[in-house]
Amino acid sequence: MRKINISKYEGNTHYSVHVIDSYGQEHHLGYLGLTHSISMEDIDRMAEEIWSNETKKEVDLMSKAIKECIEIDIENGIEPSLD
């Protein structure tokens, strides 16, 4: 599902802008606020560019192995530690 998220950031004075592509990957576009901002036209343009060039990121094998080890620890009642 493609989506544009605009959420409050830093004490309600700024808004963070993210685009979600059809693979569920999140892309940060920037901030809307008083001092530095992007326009709605910029958001639309950047979202369309991301959506027209979508590719699914491959899972890093090391990250996948670490995640699976953590899940095994949790299943066996061991508190995971990355130290």
Side-chain angles (χ1 to χ4, degrees), residues 27-65:
H27 307 266
H28 183 254
L29 299 184
Y31 300 96
L32 293 172
L34 301 175
T35 57
H36 54 280
S37 64
I38 55 178
S39 68
M40 294 307 286
E41 291 82 17
D42 290 338
I43 293 170
D44 287 339
R45 181 184 47 75
M46 289 188 279
E48 286 298 326
E49 184 176 326
I50 288 169
W51 293 334
S52 67
N53 296 308
E54 288 182 18
T55 57
K56 186 172 183 177
K57 293 180 185 175
E58 293 186 30
V59 176
D60 173 39
L61 292 179
M62 180 63 79
S63 298
K64 184 178 178 183

Side-chain angles (χ1 to χ4, degrees), residues 4-82:
I4 297 174
N5 287 337
I6 300 175
S7 56
K8 290 183 180 179
Y9 179 78
E10 287 189 7
N12 300 333
T13 61
H14 291 78
Y15 294 86
S16 182
V17 182
H18 293 86
V19 170
I20 311 285
D21 65 21
S22 60
Y23 294 107
Q25 300 170 139
E26 189 169 347
H27 307 266
H28 183 254
L29 299 184
Y31 300 96
L32 293 172
L34 301 175
T35 57
H36 54 280
S37 64
I38 55 178
S39 68
M40 294 307 286
E41 291 82 17
D42 290 338
I43 293 170
D44 287 339
R45 181 184 47 75
M46 289 188 279
E48 286 298 326
E49 184 176 326
I50 288 169
W51 293 334
S52 67
N53 296 308
E54 288 182 18
T55 57
K56 186 172 183 177
K57 293 180 185 175
E58 293 186 30
V59 176
D60 173 39
L61 292 179
M62 180 63 79
S63 298
K64 184 178 178 183
I66 292 169
K67 180 179 180 249
E68 289 175 358
C69 288
I70 290 170
E71 289 171 356
I72 291 169
D73 284 349
I74 292 170
E75 289 172 6
N76 291 317
I78 301 170
E79 185 173 330
S81 174
L82 298 177

